[in-house]
Amino acid sequence: MLGEMAWAEVENKSERQRRANRQAAEKGKPWMTGPRPFGYERAGGMLVPHEKEASALRDAFAMLTSGSSLYSVTKMLNDSGFTSTLGNEWRHNNVRVMLLNPLYAGLRAYAEMPPLGSNRSARSRPNYEDRTLVAGNWEALISEDVWRASVSILRDPGRKTNVGNLSSVRWLGSNLYGCLRCEGEQGTEADLKRTGVPFMAVNWTNPRRDGQRGRRIYKCKRCFMTRRADPVDGLVEDMIAERLNRQDGADVPPTDSSGRADLDVLRREAGEVRARLDVLADSLADGEMTKDQFARANRRASDRLAAIEAELAEAGRTDVLAGLRGPGAGQRWLTSDDIRWRRAVLAAVADVLLSPAKTGRPKKGEVMDPTSVIFRWRTS
């Protein structure tokens, strides 16, 4: 009897706490327990920007949205002398969690905790971007579109790099160079029936007789055409660096913001669609519409919201070529140790296609035919 009463009191207390958290979230109040968020200080129950940390945080978001890797962002924070708010050195997984947090865009995320006694853990709650988002009552350090751009980048499945203990982004052209043979349907009848992606992946030739590792090659995922990687990468690096070094930068694609939608209009429409989704849920609960009617209306509203959020995410991406026009730009690109950023610049400047090399073993000292590497320069 006493045990049942005690358990009932625990459930009541849990429900009161849950209700208080929900009300605080609906009012846009920040979460005030646990370590303070990097970039802010707590004062009088409010979050106040920490000047130095806030500047570093904006730099971190700018680096990510311009194509830099998490490793580079983490290195920047550590090299600048910043630590987490617990005094620890930054790790890439901590930085990732920070850059996914909508708090920095002035948004309060809320999702119900699993019921008491449930087998589900708190980790089963949806991702930040899929929770209920309410405008917070503290100063945002970045805009919502920059945050959504960061989420889009970090949630991209293509960023996974630990498949088979080999990084998919260790090399300049892996999954970036295209296959001209497949594009022009120049292969055999059997090649044309294959359904692989016509991009070049990194592979290795058989080990040498002395036990050393074989040569690195690029191999088409569809027709299996191969090219020696080092000469190709060398030519590509020279051509891209020369393009970036042009005095006036006229051949480098400019930042184009003319085609972007009005962000204020998009944000306002996104708020209206979220409110519409809430109204639809209430109408279903009150019996004002059938499940089929709700499903159709909810699907249309959800699709529109997804489209708006995609536009906001794209608008938040930083120009990857910013500061890379004119003398010295090519050298900065060549000497950077951030392979993700180098690949992003390459993709922004040109499409690179590889055609089959001439048959037979190359003679000693023979130079690769530069016309077998096709550059389709981007102008806009």
Side-chain angles (χ1 to χ4, degrees):
M1 182 69 178
L2 291 176
E4 292 179 358
M5 293 178 63
W7 181 252
E9 179 56 30
V10 169
E11 290 182 328
N12 289 336
K13 182 179 179 181
S14 174
E15 180 55 34
R16 287 195 299 271
Q17 186 63 57
R18 195 189 305 270
R19 190 162 54 247
N21 290 340
R22 187 188 309 116
Q23 291 172 351
E26 291 171 350
K27 294 178 181 178
K29 294 182 178 180
W31 192 265
M32 297 302 291
T33 59
R36 69 174 179 85
F38 183 81
Y40 286 101
E41 294 179 305
R42 287 178 176 145
M46 295 290 293
L47 291 179
V48 181
H50 184 291
E51 184 177 350
K52 291 184 178 179
E53 290 183 357
S55 177
L57 183 96
R58 294 188 186 98
D59 290 343
F61 275 99
M63 288 178 65
L64 181 72
T65 54
S66 64
S68 294
S69 63
L70 272 179
Y71 171 83
S72 299
V73 177
T74 305
K75 188 174 184 297
M76 180 275 291
L77 290 171
N78 287 327
D79 290 350
S80 301
F82 290 101
T83 63
S84 71
T85 54
L86 294 177
N88 299 323
E89 184 182 54
W90 285 103
R91 303 288 184 186
H92 74 277
N93 54 329
N94 306 126
V95 174
R96 184 177 189 274
V97 170
M98 179 176 71
L99 297 179
L100 286 171
N101 196 337
L103 174 140
Y104 297 110
L107 298 173
R108 173 70 152 87
Y110 178 74
E112 291 280 359
M113 291 287 287
L116 194 64
S118 170
N119 292 329
R120 295 164 51 213
S121 69
R123 293 180 180 273
S124 64
R125 290 186 296 172
N127 295 326
Y128 279 131
E129 63 272 20
D130 297 325
R131 301 181 187 182
T132 300
L133 297 175
V134 180
N137 60 4
W138 63 91
E139 180 181 345
L141 300 183
I142 58 168
S143 62
E144 181 179 348
D145 43 291
V146 170
W147 170 71
R148 290 196 179 279
S150 300
V151 172
S152 175
I153 293 169
L154 294 174
R155 297 293 188 201
D156 182 4
R159 291 181 61 86
K160 190 173 182 180
T161 61
N162 60 345
V163 179
N165 295 322
L166 291 175
S167 172
S168 61
V169 290
R170 291 175 63 191
W171 313 109
L172 184 64
S174 177
N175 297 311
L176 194 59
Y177 297 160
C179 176
L180 187 64
R181 184 187 188 195
C182 288
E183 184 183 85
E185 297 185 350
Q186 301 168 0
T188 65
E189 183 177 349
D191 290 336
L192 299 178
K193 292 180 179 179
R194 296 191 176 106
T195 58
V197 181
F199 285 97
M200 311 300 287
V202 167
N203 212 321
W204 301 84
T205 60
N206 293 329
R208 301 177 184 176
R209 292 181 179 178
D210 57 6
Q212 294 184 5
R213 194 174 194 177
R215 289 191 179 91
R216 183 169 62 93
I217 59 174
Y218 285 116
K219 186 174 184 178
C220 177
K221 293 181 175 181
R222 177 180 292 176
C223 71
F224 309 132
M225 182 268 289
T226 62
R227 292 293 304 270
R228 292 179 61 180
D230 290 339
V232 171
D233 283 346
L235 175 65
V236 171
E237 288 178 337
D238 291 342
M239 294 293 288
I240 298 298
E242 190 274 335
R243 195 81 169 181
L244 294 172
N245 276 332
R246 298 284 175 89
Q247 178 68 32
D248 56 2
D251 294 324
V252 179
T255 305
D256 180 16
S257 58
S258 60
R260 289 182 176 175
D262 188 321
L263 298 184
D264 289 335
V265 173
L266 284 176
R267 294 189 190 106
R268 184 163 56 251
E269 185 180 356
E272 292 171 354
V273 175
R274 292 189 186 103
R276 194 183 314 153
L277 288 169
D278 291 338
V279 171
L280 289 173
D282 292 340
S283 298
L284 177 65
D286 295 339
E288 297 175 359
M289 61 192 315
T290 65
K291 289 184 178 180
D292 288 341
Q293 291 172 333
F294 170 79
R296 288 194 299 272
N298 187 73
R299 183 170 58 253
R300 287 197 298 271
S302 297
D303 290 346
R304 179 54 189 156
L305 181 59
I308 295 172
E309 290 177 346
E311 290 187 61
L312 287 171
E314 183 61 30
R317 292 178 185 266
T318 305
D319 177 21
V320 71
L321 297 173
L324 268 183
R325 295 177 175 87
Q331 187 63 22
R332 291 198 300 276
W333 179 74
L334 282 173
T335 56
S336 173
D337 60 356
D338 187 346
I339 189 62
R340 284 190 180 276
W341 177 71
R342 295 187 66 208
R343 285 165 54 88
V345 171
L346 169 59
V349 173
D351 292 324
V352 179
L353 297 172
L354 306 185
S355 61
K358 71 176 186 178
T359 58
R361 185 188 295 263
K363 297 179 181 179
K364 186 175 182 179
E366 184 177 358
V367 179
M368 181 193 71
D369 179 10
T371 62
S372 65
V373 181
I374 310 301
F375 293 85
R376 292 178 179 169
W377 302 106
R378 296 180 183 270
T379 57
S380 61

